[in-house]
Amino acid sequence: MSEQHIKLPEGSIEKTTTTLNLGPTHPATHGVFQNILELDGERIVSAEQTVGYIHRAFEKIAERRPLYQITPLTDRLNYCSSPINNIGWHLTCEKLLGVKTPKRVDYLRIIIMELARISDHLICNSIVGVDAGAYTGFLYVMQYRELIYEIYEEICGSRLTTNMGRIGGFERNFNDIAFQKIEKFLKEYPAVLQEFENLFTRNRIFMDRTIDVGPISAERALNYGFTGPNLRAAGVDYDVRVHSPYSSYEEFQFDVPVGTTGDCYDRYLVRNQEMWQSLGIIEQALRKVLEFKGAEAEIYHADVPEYYLPPKEDVYTKMEALIWHFKIIMGEINMPAGEVYQSVEGGNGELGFYLISDGGRAPYRLHFRRPCFIYYQAFEELTKGAMLSDAIIVMSSLNLIAGEMDA
Amino acid sequence: MPLTNDIIQQKLTEKFREQITDFTEPYGMLTFSAPKELNLKVLNFLFDSLDLKFRFLTDICAVHYPEQKGKELAVVYHIHNLEDNVRIRFKIFTDINQPDVYTATGLYSAANWMEREAYDFYGINFIGHPNLKRIMNVDEMDYFPLRKEYPLEDQTRTDKDDEMFGRGGAKGFGNERTDDGTMIEADKNAGEQII
């Protein structure tokens, strides 16, 4: 291991390492994490992670709720990219119920999911910069996260915890302002991302702080269950969007960027490249959406009266709509029995939903596969022998989100 | 030749004979179960076999079925073959009075926290696990909260009665409503007896 940094008097029997509680609420941990570090001088001898400070028992709560009431719970998993969680959950329900969504819905969903991916990655990468001492990039890209949130606002009315969409599609069609804002984002963001890259990618200090910090081999990463950008940075081209396409991803052209060493710098590069790819996907999807004309351009949900709320005018005037409205809101609709696993490529890895239904109104069991809960285990291996300041960077470059970890 | 569910089923049957049971394919994913003593043997075979190569552990979770006597708790493994891109689901069942299951941490480092989570919520005792203690809940907790005998809300409350939201009305726990509409209040100390 490391050499001895603190010299003690000879014959001393004192403990030679220092215990440091990093967290649970430390400004550098970006969330409620606790790391109990054993330090030899400034080198980390061992790290023990404690999680669960914001555990809210979502899996238990979900066993009492009808499907549509579970969507707000998924918001609070990875709250940097809530729409991906929402849509992943809707896809799980649709798989169980056998609902086929119209193409336009798929494309609209892809636009939203890729916007969410960009907002997730830009926060993660700029936070890595902040932890390395470069604050400018963070403030600069934050403006564009704001623009993404404005797009969410146009579509569903809320910003951070979006509760976006319904089983079968969206609650309303995208309005013109939403499309204008998406186009504005597509026009302005590439220059910003380019400038962000210019600030960091060949920055001497940034490179020194991230290259060879927290590396992991492809084999170890797979064994640790890494997914998403962290696995791709180690050199494995596994992407759920390519391997198990959902929401018509198979119709889109994009590259899967990979790294080689799996260190913080590679993770940063992979995320940046993914943002460029996401911009390309949004452009393709937007072109496909704008091709729909006339009545087709008004389609924004599948025809599933059992799960999709009828329009409010109909509820007041039509008997059947009133009945469906009541049944949906009270959660009195039984779903088919069965078990289903559906995963989506979340902001930080494969977000999976394992749903067991016994034919009742609520899931018998719902389990979330939360990517960062799984790869936070590797933190000790990644930081052993590293400096204390490296531990902070490793933590932010893994894109750990406390809400997702603790579920 | 692409790896299909039929081939996997055939290989498993060749190796373990009739010990692997309950082959089903819900929504296209091959699902099967084995006796709990065999879980490591099956996982190892799936990992090592050059035809199968199921080397990526996607998920471990536990499920509680109070109705199935002697097989109350299930441990569900989702395993992925990344080369051929096939997923399978493997289940083992265990008695709730002796929920001992061999750990998969020797095979997958990722299993460590997933098994701790299953222990924390369902009390499955993973034999050989390096650090089997609670992960989400406080260490002092002395029950396993996701088991079905623990209803979502405090059933001893008498100020609310709403079956839809998990309070009262149901049989067996909490306030019970008899057929003529009178309420029998729950034993306030019932919670302590369960623990």
Side-chain angles (χ1 to χ4, degrees), chain A residues 48-49 51-52 55 59-61 63-64 95-97 220 222-227 231 236 238 240 243-244 330 332 336-341 343 350 354 356 361 363-365 367-370 373-374 376-377 405-407, chain B residues 26-27 29 31 47 55-66 76 78 80 82 85 87 89 91 107-114 117 121-122 133 135-137 145-148 150-152 163-167 173:
Chain A
E48 192 194 338
Q49 310 93 294
V51 301
H55 172 58
E59 293 175 6
K60 186 77 178 176
I61 297 173
E63 288 175 11
R64 269 295 198 186
K95 195 168 174 183
L96 180 76
L97 305 169
R220 290 302 295 154
L222 283 171
N223 204 261
Y224 264 120
F226 275 44
T227 43
L231 178 65
V236 183
Y238 173 60
V240 185
H243 280 71
S244 335
M330 295 309 286
E332 284 191 6
E339 53 186 329
V340 53
Y341 178 83
S343 58
E350 176 178 337
Y354 176 44
I356 302 178
R361 61 190 277 274
Y364 186 79
R365 169 89 166 101
H367 181 73
F368 303 111
R369 183 208 192 263
R370 290 110 56 204
F373 173 74
I374 292 165
Y376 192 33
Q377 299 176 58
M405 196 177 302
D406 296 349
Chain B
Y27 299 89
M29 192 187 283
T31 304
F47 191 97
R55 289 179 187 168
F56 187 81
L57 178 68
T58 304
D59 197 22
I60 294 178
C61 72
V63 192
H64 186 201
Y65 297 101
V76 185
H78 282 87
H80 196 163
L82 289 175
N85 193 25
R87 293 175 195 267
R89 186 184 292 135
K91 292 183 184 178
L107 203 55
Y108 304 104
S109 305
N112 189 327
W113 282 17
M114 299 181 194
E117 201 188 18
F121 290 136
Y122 288 90
K133 55 181 193 184
I135 189 159
M136 291 295 174
N137 295 306
L146 253 73
R147 288 188 181 173
K148 291 284 179 189
Y150 300 106
L152 191 57
E163 189 183 357
M164 192 61 82
F165 296 99
R167 303 179 196 100
F173 57 78

Side-chain angles (χ1 to χ4, degrees), chain A residues 304-328:
Chain A
V304 267
E306 300 92 333
Y307 290 93
Y308 190 89
L309 278 176
K312 201 71 183 171
E313 315 76 86
D314 290 1
V315 176
Y316 290 131
T317 52
K318 290 181 186 145
M319 193 61 208
E320 199 188 2
L322 177 66
I323 293 169
W324 282 127
H325 181 91
F326 182 80
K327 289 188 100 169
I328 293 169

Side-chain angles (χ1 to χ4, degrees), chain A residues 259-270:
Chain A
T260 46
T261 55
D263 59 6
C264 292
Y265 190 63
D266 273 11
R267 288 197 276 270
Y268 159 84
L269 291 178
V270 165

Side-chain angles (χ1 to χ4, degrees), chain A residues 23-36:
Chain A
T25 50
H26 189 278
T29 56
H30 317 294
V32 197
F33 305 104
Q34 187 186 20
N35 284 293
I36 304 164

Side-chain angles (χ1 to χ4, degrees), chain A residues 54-349:
Chain A
I54 58 165
H55 172 58
R56 293 143 296 175
F58 283 163
E59 293 175 6
K60 186 77 178 176
I61 297 173
E63 288 175 11
R64 269 295 198 186
R65 288 194 177 190
L67 295 177
Y68 83 99
Q69 288 183 1
I70 297 169
T71 324
L73 300 180
T74 63
D75 285 336
R76 284 140 183 92
L77 294 173
N78 182 349
Y79 41 73
C80 287
S81 50
S82 307
I84 301 185
N85 309 344
N86 299 154
I87 294 171
W89 167 243
H90 293 319
L91 287 165
T92 313
C93 300
E94 283 158 16
K95 195 168 174 183
L96 180 76
L97 305 169
V99 176
K100 180 97 180 65
T101 47
K103 282 285 173 198
R104 187 163 184 274
V105 172
D106 288 357
Y107 302 148
L108 291 176
R109 280 180 170 175
I110 283 178
I111 293 176
I112 293 304
M113 283 195 278
E114 294 306 318
L115 282 173
R117 192 178 322 285
I118 290 176
S119 82
D120 189 277
H121 286 358
L122 73 82
I123 286 301
C124 176
N125 269 355
S126 56
I127 290 288
V128 174
V130 171
D131 288 344
Y135 211 84
T136 326
F138 173 70
L139 293 175
Y140 194 40
V141 295
M142 208 61 174
Q143 293 180 27
Y144 285 84
R145 191 180 81 152
E146 184 64 24
L147 184 51
I148 294 176
Y149 280 7
E150 280 177 23
I151 297 169
Y152 294 170
E153 218 172 347
E154 288 303 328
I155 290 162
C156 69
S158 50
R159 297 157 57 83
L160 185 73
T161 48
T162 51
N163 189 16
M164 189 185 283
R166 300 282 180 266
I167 295 169
F170 287 91
E171 58 270 44
R172 62 179 77 85
N173 203 353
F174 287 20
N175 58 21
D176 291 340
I177 303 171
F179 281 115
Q180 282 162 19
K181 285 195 166 156
I182 293 168
E183 270 163 21
K184 179 170 182 257
F185 180 81
L186 284 178
K187 208 168 117 226
E188 292 179 11
Y189 188 63
V192 176
L193 183 54
Q194 187 57 53
E195 199 150 349
F196 179 76
E197 286 192 338
N198 294 347
L199 269 174
F200 286 105
T201 308
R202 300 297 297 170
N203 182 318
R204 187 74 255 162
I205 302 171
F206 184 75
M207 288 169 81
D208 284 349
R209 287 296 304 277
T210 51
I211 289 175
D212 278 338
V213 172
I216 190 162
S217 67
E219 194 189 347
R220 290 302 295 154
L222 283 171
N223 204 261
Y224 264 120
F226 275 44
T227 43
N230 295 338
L231 178 65
R232 291 193 281 275
V236 183
D237 63 341
Y238 173 60
D239 188 323
V240 185
R241 291 174 292 173
V242 178
H243 280 71
S244 335
Y246 50 92
S247 196
S248 303
Y249 263 112
E250 65 278 5
E251 295 171 18
F252 289 80
Q253 292 288 323
F254 60 98
D255 296 333
V256 179
V258 289
T260 46
T261 55
D263 59 6
C264 292
Y265 190 63
D266 273 11
R267 288 197 276 270
Y268 159 84
L269 291 178
V270 165
R271 287 208 174 85
N272 262 347
Q273 277 309 311
E274 280 188 15
M275 282 196 262
W276 288 113
Q277 298 301 327
S278 292
L279 283 170
I281 298 172
I282 297 172
E283 252 165 45
Q284 294 173 43
L286 194 61
R287 225 178 301 136
K288 283 176 193 260
V289 168
L290 295 177
E291 273 171 20
F292 291 103
K293 296 281 179 243
E296 279 194 321
E298 296 299 317
I299 296 173
Y300 57 94
H301 65 89
D303 187 24
V304 267
E306 300 92 333
Y307 290 93
Y308 190 89
L309 278 176
K312 201 71 183 171
E313 315 76 86
D314 290 1
V315 176
Y316 290 131
T317 52
K318 290 181 186 145
M319 193 61 208
E320 199 188 2
L322 177 66
I323 293 169
W324 282 127
H325 181 91
F326 182 80
K327 289 188 100 169
I328 293 169
I329 293 293
M330 295 309 286
E332 284 191 6
I333 294 157
N334 290 341
M335 58 182 128
E339 53 186 329
V340 53
Y341 178 83
Q342 167 74 37
S343 58
V344 291
E345 181 71 27
N348 46 7

Side-chain angles (χ1 to χ4, degrees), chain B residues 3-186:
Chain B
L3 190 63
T4 60
N5 287 350
D6 291 338
I7 299 173
I8 302 166
Q9 180 169 353
Q10 186 198 332
K11 297 266 179 212
L12 280 165
T13 324
E14 263 173 35
K15 172 83 180 168
F16 294 100
R17 303 287 163 202
E18 68 284 352
Q19 283 175 307
I20 303 240
T21 49
D22 308 332
F23 282 102
T24 47
E25 280 185 36
Y27 299 89
M29 192 187 283
L30 183 70
T31 304
F32 53 88
S33 54
K36 68 170 183 176
E37 300 78 25
L38 280 178
N39 73 330
L40 270 195
K41 286 197 174 124
V42 174
L43 288 173
N44 263 317
F45 174 70
L46 290 166
F47 191 97
D48 289 333
S49 162
L50 291 176
D51 302 314
L52 300 175
K53 291 196 230 171
F54 283 93
R55 289 179 187 168
F56 187 81
L57 178 68
T58 304
D59 197 22
I60 294 178
C61 72
V63 192
H64 186 201
Y65 297 101
E67 315 293 297
Q68 302 178 8
K69 291 289 164 237
K71 302 164 85 177
E72 284 98 344
L73 290 173
V75 181
V76 185
Y77 301 85
H78 282 87
I79 326 166
H80 196 163
N81 174 340
L82 289 175
E83 281 179 36
D84 296 286
N85 193 25
V86 183
R87 293 175 195 267
I88 51 171
R89 186 184 292 135
F90 169 45
K91 292 183 184 178
I92 52 167
F93 292 92
T94 171
D95 191 330
I96 199 161
N97 298 315
Q98 204 194 353
D100 300 334
V101 170
Y102 294 117
T103 175
T105 41
L107 203 55
Y108 304 104
S109 305
N112 189 327
W113 282 17
M114 299 181 194
E115 288 181 352
R116 275 178 71 184
E117 201 188 18
Y119 165 73
D120 192 354
F121 290 136
Y122 288 90
I124 289 163
N125 181 28
F126 288 97
I127 300 169
H129 190 286
N131 184 23
L132 193 65
K133 55 181 193 184
R134 288 185 183 271
I135 189 159
M136 291 295 174
N137 295 306
V138 288
D139 291 344
E140 293 78 34
M141 196 180 229
D142 51 4
Y143 57 102
F144 301 109
L146 253 73
R147 288 188 181 173
K148 291 284 179 189
E149 68 253 38
Y150 300 106
L152 191 57
E153 290 195 11
D154 182 4
Q155 293 300 313
T156 57
R157 282 181 72 158
T158 50
D159 55 329
K160 288 178 175 174
D161 170 40
D162 187 346
E163 189 183 357
M164 192 61 82
F165 296 99
R167 303 179 196 100
K171 292 269 183 262
F173 57 78
N175 298 338
E176 280 187 32
R177 194 193 290 273
T178 52
D179 292 336
D180 57 4
T182 50
M183 288 280 284
I184 305 169
E185 286 201 6

